[in-house]
């Protein structure tokens, strides 16, 4: 990615230098344009350089610095021109109200998400109309109901807890050592996803092949993919081959379950929920739809969860007081059961125990506030709409056709919402403070989206991360031995940059 960015910079260097000089000269703001109409003016706009808009600055300074600077200069509602596109940024709960609550016919995900079609496959997500997509999201939601989550927790706990068999993941760690936590947690999250979402067939027989194919899909999601999703580059060709093979694998499992006595009843995974799902008109899901929904669920959940698991570790290991509190919580809360299997005791983490891990929960939530899963959420304005800034300070009309962006990383660190907003302070979400709720406006915390498109996997994600960290806190003394990771904001799903090296030593809390 860095290499690609380097080439891009090199290729555009002369143009960029000229354009940057021009930008200084011609950057203008159109705060109040109309004196004849009573309609509010459009948001202030940075035109940037001729033709390129703010692209040169974007490439040179990176997206986060660019957005922060324009926010500081232009306020909570502003538009940046990037080539021929106009992107309007809305910063803050009041300003983002329409972004989250607006009807799909007014502000939509469709136009800006079509690049995912070759990855998710035909017949699902952004390849279908909104009504069908809503039904498919209902299938997801059904597979995330508390009764199902209870089952998933026991499956996840099996993956990470059972230490006495060498096949299980953390069982492979030695008595002490140094690991790249990011790599380790990516692997655990994939195991969990394979088991809970795809089922025991994949977990038992295809743990080599399926994660490798998913890796190809992830790797194919380049910045160029957003603009030219079908460009015949090697990464896209590998994506198409991997996607076709995944479709074959899932289709075979669906056929086999459907033709078995009981139609697969008794399977405890999301795959079975999708097989059993019915559209409102009574039709069942097709094999291609089931495959597509599984791939899209994995896409929505895998990187987000593994990045958050790693960030949580990095934050805890650099804040000893919160680490100690999290360990104390484990001592107090986790039920210990003696299973008498061999000479080791097994600690069982269940759904109810996870619900009681309040401090760990706040740590994950606070981690996500500071290290959100993406730089911004995006929509397309199908109709113009009016935005009022906080306290009714100003009113703007965002024109139809604009891309609308909610920059999460700035939104979730606003000093008028969060006290000492740059600090890692999990207690801000604890009883008596709850700064996001206390603020008094919806959408003060958006790490899981909200409004019409809340994350459907939020509860699943918390459980998975808490199962992993509950296990690590109870069984290992850990220390971060590399510097606190930076974020690479230039990629679609930003995460900790580089390796996150952690030394561990086994211990037994119980
Ligand atoms: C820490 C982990 C996760 C984070 C931070 C996260 C965050 C988000 C965010 C911010 C959105 C809103 C996107 C938007 O408004 O454009 C979203 C949507 C979604 N998420 Fe998650 N997610 C996580 C894990 C998961 C998991 C594990 C699943 C499923 C297994 C999942 C499934 C979905 C789905 C299906 C949507 C689309 C909802 C819609 O568009 O109506 N997510 N997620």
């Amino acid at each position: 990615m860095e290499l690609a960015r380097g080439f891009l910079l090199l290729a555009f260097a002369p143009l960029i230098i000229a354009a940057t000089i021009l930008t200084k000269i011609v950057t203008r703001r159109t705060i109040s344009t109309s004196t004849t109409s009573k309609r509010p003016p459009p948001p202030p706009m940075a035109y940037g350089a001729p033709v390129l808009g703010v692209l040169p600055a974007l490439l040179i300074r990176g997206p986060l610095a660019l957005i922060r600077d324009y926010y500081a200069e232009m306020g909570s509602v502003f538009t940046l021109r990037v080539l021929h596109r106009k992107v309007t940024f809305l910063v803050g709960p009041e300003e983002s109200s329409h972004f989250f609550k607006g009807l799909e016919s007014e502000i939509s995900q469709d136009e800006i998400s079509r690049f995912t079609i070759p990855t998710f496959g035909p017949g699902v997500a952004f390849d279908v109309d909104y009504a069908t997509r809503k039904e498919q999201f209902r299938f997801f939601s059904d597979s995330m109901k508390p009764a199902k989550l209870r089952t998933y927790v026991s499956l996840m706990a099996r993956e990470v807890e059972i230490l006495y068999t060498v096949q299980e993941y953390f069982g492979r760690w030695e008595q002490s050592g140094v690991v790249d936590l990011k790599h380790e947690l990516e692997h655990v999250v994939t195991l969990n996803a394979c088991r809970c979402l795809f089922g025991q067939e994949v977990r038992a027989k295809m743990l080599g092949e399926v994660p490798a194919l998913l890796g190809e899909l992830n790797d194919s999601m380049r910045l160029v993919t957003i603009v030219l999703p079908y460009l015949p580059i090697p990464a896209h060709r590998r994506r198409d081959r991997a996607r076709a093979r995944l479709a074959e694998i899932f289709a075979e499992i669906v056929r086999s379950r459907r033709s078995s006595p009981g139609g697969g009843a008794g399977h405890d995974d999301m795959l079975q929920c999708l097989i059993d799902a019915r559209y409102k008109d009574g039709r069942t899901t097709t094999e291609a739809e089931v495959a597509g929904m599984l791939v899209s669920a994995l896409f929505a959940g895998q990187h987000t969860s593994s990045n958050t698991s790693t960030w949580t570790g990095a934050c805890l290991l650099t804040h000893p007081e919160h680490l100690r509190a999290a360990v104390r919580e484990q001592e107090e809360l986790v039920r210990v059961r003696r299973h008498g299997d061999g000479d080791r005791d097994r600690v069982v983490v269940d759904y109810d125990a996870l619900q009681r891990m309040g401090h760990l929960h706040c740590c994950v939530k606070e981690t996500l506030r500071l290290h959100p899963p993406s730089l911004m959420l995006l929509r397309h304005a199908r109709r113009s709409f009016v935005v009022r800034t906080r306290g009714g300070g100003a009113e703007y009309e965002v024109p139809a056709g604009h891309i609308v962006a909610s920059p999460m990383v700035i939104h979730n660190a606003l000093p008028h919402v969060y006290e000492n907003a740059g600090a890692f302070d999990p207690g801000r979400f604890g009883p008596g403070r709850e700064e996001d709720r206390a603020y008094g406006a919806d959408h003060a915390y958006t790490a899981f989206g909200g409004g019409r498109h809340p994350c459907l996997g939020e509860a699943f994600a918390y459980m998975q991360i808490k199962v992993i960290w509950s296990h690590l806190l109870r069984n290992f003394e850990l220390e971060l031995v590399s510097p606190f990771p930076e974020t690479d904001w230039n990629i679609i799903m930003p995460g900790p940059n580089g390796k996150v090296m952690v030394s561990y030593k086994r211990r037994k809390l119980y």
Side-chain angles (χ1 to χ4, degrees):
M1 185 61 63
E2 278 305 308
L3 200 66
R5 201 172 159 233
F7 275 130
L8 205 63
L9 276 170
L10 249 161
F12 278 102
L15 196 57
I16 288 169
I17 294 164
T20 311
I21 296 164
L22 270 170
T23 311
K24 300 259 181 232
I25 303 165
V26 301
T27 298
R28 352 173 218 142
R29 296 169 57 174
T30 56
I31 292 181
S32 178
T33 49
S34 166
T35 47
T36 50
S37 147
K38 285 202 180 122
R39 294 170 71 169
M45 161 124 73
Y47 285 95
V51 185
L52 297 177
V54 300
L55 182 65
L58 182 69
L59 289 172
I60 292 167
R61 281 149 64 197
L64 180 59
L66 186 86
I67 299 166
R68 274 205 173 125
D69 289 354
Y70 276 115
Y71 169 54
E73 185 192 328
M74 299 169 90
S76 57
V77 181
F78 59 92
T79 303
L80 302 183
R81 189 173 67 87
V82 187
L83 299 171
H84 64 295
R85 304 305 303 254
K86 294 190 179 108
V87 187
T88 292
F89 289 82
L90 306 175
V91 185
E94 292 86 350
E95 289 80 350
S96 320
S97 174
H98 184 73
F99 181 99
F100 288 108
K101 292 181 184 158
L103 293 173
E104 185 67 16
S105 56
E106 295 172 352
I107 183 161
S108 138
Q109 290 178 315
D110 247 38
E111 291 80 351
I112 43 124
S113 303
R114 296 223 170 102
F115 71 92
T116 59
I117 293 175
T119 304
F120 295 166
V124 295
F126 299 97
D127 188 47
V128 294
D129 58 70
Y130 182 57
T132 311
R133 189 157 70 245
K134 255 175 59 183
E135 289 216 60
Q136 293 176 345
F137 281 166
R138 173 169 58 80
F139 305 156
F140 272 138
S141 301
D142 289 347
S143 72
M144 294 286 162
K145 286 193 169 148
K148 294 299 304 175
L149 290 175
R150 280 179 186 275
T151 313
Y152 298 150
V153 170
S154 62
L155 300 175
M156 291 172 190
R158 251 192 74 79
E159 293 293 337
V160 292
E161 283 287 345
I162 306 172
L163 284 168
Y164 60 86
T165 53
V166 283
Q167 296 98 308
E168 305 299 333
Y169 197 67
F170 291 121
R172 287 188 222 149
W173 286 15
E174 309 288 336
Q175 281 306 310
S176 62
V178 179
V179 288
D180 174 7
L181 192 68
K182 186 169 99 174
H183 173 80
E184 301 292 313
L185 297 185
E186 270 168 13
H187 191 83
V188 181
V189 166
T190 307
L191 286 185
N192 280 337
C194 284
R195 180 60 190 91
C196 298
L197 307 186
F198 301 163
Q200 63 198 36
E201 296 93 328
V202 170
R203 177 67 182 85
K205 292 188 218 138
M206 289 162 191
L207 257 196
E209 188 177 11
V210 170
L213 294 169
L214 294 166
E216 292 285 12
L217 292 190
N218 277 328
D219 181 55
S220 73
M221 204 54 108
R222 310 287 171 95
L223 285 181
V224 68
T225 312
I226 300 178
V227 194
L228 299 167
Y230 298 97
L231 191 71
I233 56 174
H236 288 171
R237 284 202 210 100
R238 287 198 300 275
R239 169 197 69 196
D240 296 342
R241 280 196 298 272
R243 181 64 187 70
R245 176 67 188 130
L246 279 171
E248 248 173 53
I249 291 173
F250 291 132
E252 200 182 309
I253 299 175
V254 175
R255 271 198 300 276
S256 144
R257 287 197 189 179
R258 277 191 170 143
S259 61
S260 69
H267 283 280
D268 47 15
D269 40 59
M270 176 191 259
L271 171 58
Q272 191 60 36
C273 296
L274 299 178
I275 291 176
D276 295 338
R278 293 281 178 285
Y279 288 93
K280 279 187 196 139
D281 62 7
R283 125 178 135 75
T284 56
T285 47
T286 66
E287 289 159 12
E289 286 169 346
V290 171
M293 284 189 271
L294 286 176
V295 170
S296 49
L298 194 93
F299 239 82
Q302 191 194 22
H303 267 291
T304 44
S305 301
S306 73
N307 284 341
T308 308
S309 304
T310 305
W311 282 124
T312 302
C315 289
L316 277 175
L317 300 183
T318 46
H319 293 84
E321 70 284 21
H322 298 303
L323 178 65
R324 274 195 301 275
V327 172
R328 268 201 309 277
E329 183 174 73
Q330 293 303 310
E331 286 167 346
E332 286 157 17
L333 286 176
V334 173
R335 275 196 290 141
V336 182
R337 287 187 194 149
R338 289 181 183 275
H339 283 253
D341 288 323
D343 57 354
R344 278 183 190 266
D345 294 341
R346 273 166 59 186
V347 175
V348 174
V349 172
D350 60 18
Y351 182 85
D352 297 320
L354 288 181
Q355 299 300 316
R356 293 198 299 273
M357 291 178 196
H359 182 68
L360 186 53
H361 192 96
C362 288
C363 288
V364 177
K365 184 168 178 179
E366 175 68 342
T367 297
L368 269 165
R369 187 182 70 80
L370 295 171
H371 305 282
S374 66
L375 178 60
M376 54 196 158
L377 302 175
L378 292 171
R379 301 284 186 269
H380 175 257
R382 288 184 165 169
R383 293 200 187 145
S384 66
F385 64 96
V386 172
V387 178
R388 267 168 220 93
T389 59
R390 183 163 68 105
E395 221 177 50
Y396 302 111
E397 181 169 310
V398 180
H402 277 206
I403 294 173
V404 189
S406 171
M408 298 173 103
V409 70
I410 301 176
H411 182 113
N412 289 325
L414 290 171
H416 55 271
V417 179
Y418 296 105
E419 196 186 316
N420 195 6
F424 179 74
D425 175 10
R428 70 172 80 250
F429 295 119
R433 286 177 69 191
E434 296 178 298
E435 290 178 1
D436 52 338
R437 294 195 186 153
Y439 179 65
D442 293 340
H443 313 303
Y445 180 87
T446 60
F448 288 97
R452 290 187 184 272
H453 297 284
C455 174
L456 302 178
E458 177 175 348
F460 182 95
Y462 268 115
M463 291 195 163
Q464 159 146 257
I465 297 163
K466 283 157 81 177
V467 165
I468 292 171
W469 274 101
S470 164
H471 179 84
L472 289 175
L473 292 169
R474 281 182 286 112
N475 292 283
F476 299 95
E477 278 170 33
L478 301 157
E479 194 185 330
L480 184 67
V481 292
S482 55
F484 192 88
E486 301 278 328
T487 308
D488 183 357
W489 292 110
N490 293 300
I491 53 179
I492 295 181
M493 287 179 271
N497 205 3
K499 293 185 176 179
V500 181
M501 301 309 291
V502 162
S503 71
Y504 66 86
K505 200 159 80 188
R506 278 190 189 276
R507 69 163 166 211
K508 213 156 192 278
L509 277 189
Y510 307 101

